[in-house]
Amino acid sequence: MVRINPDKPSTANTTKPSELDAVLKAQRAAFNTNPNPDWPSRKAKLETLRDLILGHEDEFVKAISDDFGHRAVEDTLISEFLVIQGGISHAIKHTPKWMKTRKAPTALQYKPARNVIIPQPLGVIGIISPWNYPLQLAIMPLVGALGAGNRAMIKPSEYTPRMSELLKEVLSKGFTDDEVFVATGGVDVASAFSNLNFDHLVFTGSTSVGRIVGEAAGKNLVPVTLELGGKSPVIIDESANMKLTVPRITNGKLLNAGQTCVAPDYVIMPEAKINSFADAMIEQAESFYPTVAGNDDYTTIIADGHYARLQDLLEDAENKGAKIRTAGDDDKQQLAKERRVPLTVVTDTTPDMKIMQEEIFGPLLPIVAAESLDEALDTVQKGERPLALYWFGEDKKKRDKVLRESISGGVSVNETAWHVVQEDIPFGGVGPSGMGAYHGEDGFKSFSHMKGVFIQSKFSQGKNLFPPYTDKTRKMIGLMKKIL
Ligand code: NAD
């Protein structure tokens, strides 16, 4: 997978590696004085977090927009604030149950002993987050970490320096450094951060940096949750209701100007329907965003390098024979000046085009022909296992075949992206799109040690297996063999 960030901005305020070490030490020492916080103290932390983040909504909206160039206010409210609020409310409602000691069955031969599982905080959780949803992707792992009774250190992306500084300032109003700490700075700080001896490290970002982070964590045997990217396909079946399908794909693709880990990356559909679908997508985009240049509803591409990379993907596809349709008729120079890219549908694609090889991460939508469901599934399987897969259609047999036979981090059926905000199902990738999962109870479990405990009874028959071994022992073994 090609790395998404071709240029590196600098940041003024940088956390020093020695400070990172000192904070980790302080957090671990503080954790050791209270290694299993009770529910009232965890709840208070979650409420503090909620009040601090929601209480600074306007400042965060502005900081994120300034970091992007322009970020639609509603894009931030929908994709950052609603998600965070939903995640914290869910955690406050359910954590008391999740943190309880759970009874587990005990096999007949070990009875009357009992088994239990005790969820236990791990200690200090490291969180490295990307720029595309800079607040949500720093806070959602923190919700899981705090709910599970941990302390946490966060390193947001160097591409959102204003948001990172604000996050540091806001969180320091409610948390001491030995509870929650925000590190700021560039890749050098992120790299030092990923080498710290955390009790668990959550990394959200590209697959290529995920490999580096996984290796760094592996050296310290730090367990990792890797939330990575990839090319998330959309399969449109002949049975799909196109009146519902077209706006849902357009919305999923254009939210945050396509800079979404689970954005539909490319579409697979029968050849005969490609042209009418491509035209309908363009028409839909023009109805959502009548102009793109100067439109406050439309988010800009984060940096010049990212803009140039998208233009390069298009040029490469065009040079190799692709047909390009662009929404609207905005002045190209103005669009470039604003770093805004309208929906661009790319047809007549071939596998040698870069746009069919790299994660796109922008509002370009290539379409691939497949005449049958098997061919569509084959196209998906030839690529790396994606973070998300979308299927549109009404034929339930085909839907079930897709769900059974395709492998992806998650799926939305007749929708794009919404599976990500369901707190009752795990969110995570598979293979090159990630490992581990979080959100809801899955986050709680990822940031807890689910400790298995066996409690022996005074009536245990285990003494029958003590040495010296006699006929009585062998009889006992025979008896156990019969009941296993
Ligand atoms: P990125 O991999 O460039 O950066 C992510 C984070 O890693 C940043 O905080 C950065 O500072 C840090 N980093 C960079 N180099 C590092 C190094 N050598 N060692 C340690 N840390 C380092 O990703 P990005 O450009 O910020 O985000 C885009 C990518 O993230 C896309 O691939 C997208 O699909 C993926 N993503 C995934 C999810 C998910 O939940 N699975 C969510 C959002 C984005």
Side-chain angles (χ1 to χ4, degrees):
M1 191 67 55
V2 174
R3 179 131 198 268
I4 300 271
N5 290 339
D7 48 358
K8 289 268 152 268
S10 64
T11 44
N13 297 325
T14 291
T15 308
K16 295 196 175 49
S18 57
E19 193 181 351
L20 290 178
D21 287 333
V23 173
L24 176 59
K25 237 182 175 170
Q27 290 213 353
R28 188 155 287 132
F31 175 80
N32 287 340
T33 63
N34 182 13
N36 207 332
D38 58 13
W39 170 238
S41 71
R42 296 188 200 193
K43 185 176 178 222
K45 286 199 169 70
L46 290 169
E47 286 172 345
T48 299
L49 179 65
R50 180 194 60 202
D51 296 347
L52 286 173
I53 299 295
L54 301 188
H56 291 82
E57 183 179 287
D58 292 348
E59 293 103 304
F60 277 116
V61 164
K62 181 172 182 338
I64 294 172
S65 185
D66 290 348
D67 281 335
F68 268 73
H70 175 80
R71 162 71 100 70
V73 174
E74 289 76 8
D75 275 5
T76 299
L77 296 181
I78 294 167
S79 62
E80 314 261 6
F81 282 88
L82 290 183
V83 179
I84 290 170
Q85 198 175 343
I88 297 179
S89 299
H90 190 265
I92 288 177
K93 191 163 171 207
H94 297 285
T95 307
K97 183 170 152 229
W98 300 334
M99 66 189 276
K100 275 197 181 131
T101 296
R102 301 152 195 224
K103 281 186 193 158
T106 310
L108 182 63
Q109 66 272 26
Y110 303 116
K111 281 184 175 166
R114 333 184 254 124
N115 287 323
V116 292
I117 300 166
I118 302 179
Q120 192 166 35
L122 285 169
V124 183
I125 310 296
I127 299 168
I128 301 179
S129 51
W131 54 263
N132 63 327
Y133 292 101
L135 186 61
Q136 191 239 112
L137 293 167
I139 297 301
M140 291 300 279
L142 181 61
V143 172
L146 293 178
N150 300 285
R151 288 154 194 265
M153 294 172 66
I154 306 172
K155 166 63 184 75
S157 167
E158 61 281 8
Y159 279 89
T160 51
R162 295 167 189 84
M163 190 309 295
S164 308
E165 285 298 334
L166 180 63
L167 184 66
K168 189 174 177 64
E169 187 193 316
V170 166
L171 291 186
S172 69
K173 290 181 188 173
F175 296 98
T176 51
D177 282 358
D178 66 7
E179 288 173 331
V180 177
F181 176 80
V182 179
T184 53
V187 170
D188 51 334
V189 180
S191 177
F193 191 94
S194 66
N195 277 285
L196 294 175
N197 194 9
F198 291 114
D199 297 294
H200 192 100
L201 178 61
V202 195
F203 169 81
T204 307
S206 59
T207 300
S208 54
V209 177
R211 284 183 213 282
I212 301 171
V213 169
E215 208 178 315
K219 279 191 200 134
N220 295 324
L221 292 183
V222 171
V224 286
T225 302
L226 298 178
E227 297 285 345
L228 310 177
K231 291 184 81 61
S232 298
V234 182
I235 302 175
I236 304 180
D237 186 60
E238 274 157 342
S239 65
N241 174 344
M242 297 310 274
K243 279 208 169 84
L244 297 178
T245 301
V246 169
R248 290 176 187 179
I249 297 177
T250 311
N251 187 46
K253 186 69 182 175
L254 298 185
L255 176 77
N256 208 29
Q259 301 165 109
T260 302
C261 58
V262 289
D265 188 278
Y266 66 103
V267 169
I268 309 172
M269 66 189 300
E271 173 101 61
K273 291 196 170 174
I274 289 181
N275 277 328
S276 62
F277 170 74
D279 290 341
M281 286 288 295
I282 294 293
E283 208 177 297
Q284 185 66 63
E286 288 170 349
S287 118
F288 283 170
Y289 308 99
T291 62
V292 165
N295 186 342
D296 281 347
D297 286 353
Y298 205 76
T299 296
T300 56
I301 302 302
I302 184 96
D304 290 341
H306 298 63
Y307 184 84
R309 189 185 61 83
L310 293 172
Q311 299 305 320
D312 177 58
L313 290 182
L314 277 181
E315 205 177 300
D316 173 76
E318 212 163 5
N319 288 342
K320 290 174 180 158
K323 206 173 140 205
I324 312 285
R325 287 173 172 82
T326 308
D329 56 359
D330 290 281
D331 178 61
K332 281 196 173 133
Q333 279 183 345
Q334 185 60 28
L335 287 173
K337 212 167 119 195
E338 295 178 14
R339 282 201 315 271
R340 280 189 166 100
V341 177
L343 177 69
T344 308
V345 180
V346 182
T347 56
D348 298 7
T349 55
T350 50
D352 62 326
M353 295 173 182
K354 283 197 253 178
I355 203 167
M356 289 314 303
Q357 294 165 355
E358 292 178 23
E359 179 181 359
I360 296 170
F361 223 58
L364 319 179
L365 185 71
I367 306 181
V368 177
E371 297 320 313
S372 64
L373 178 53
D374 282 330
E375 200 184 334
L377 287 172
D378 193 48
T379 305
V380 175
Q381 272 151 10
K382 276 189 188 135
E384 289 185 335
R385 288 175 175 173
L387 181 59
L389 182 142
Y390 304 114
W391 185 80
F392 284 84
E394 301 301 323
D395 182 330
K396 290 196 169 58
K397 268 196 182 155
K398 285 191 186 165
R399 179 198 67 190
D400 291 347
K401 181 177 163 75
V402 169
L403 295 178
R404 232 183 15 253
E405 295 184 13
S406 65
I407 303 182
S408 63
V411 176
S412 284
V413 172
N414 284 323
E415 187 50 278
T416 59
W418 285 96
H419 63 285
V420 176
V421 291
Q422 307 307 311
E423 286 296 302
D424 295 291
I425 56 178
F427 173 59
V430 53
S433 60
M435 66 171 75
Y438 74 120
H439 287 196
E441 189 172 8
D442 293 277
F444 176 88
K445 282 186 180 167
S446 290
F447 309 136
S448 298
H449 173 51
M450 303 302 284
K451 188 159 72 179
V453 178
F454 174 77
I455 302 170
Q456 185 57 286
S457 155
K458 60 181 165 190
F459 303 112
S460 164
Q461 296 306 304
K463 59 180 183 284
N464 294 325
L465 295 175
F466 290 168
Y469 300 133
T470 61
D471 279 352
K472 209 172 134 200
T473 321
R474 288 180 278 279
K475 224 176 175 176
M476 188 66 184
I477 292 171
L479 196 69
M480 284 180 81
K481 272 181 163 175
K482 275 191 197 144
I483 60 170
L484 290 180

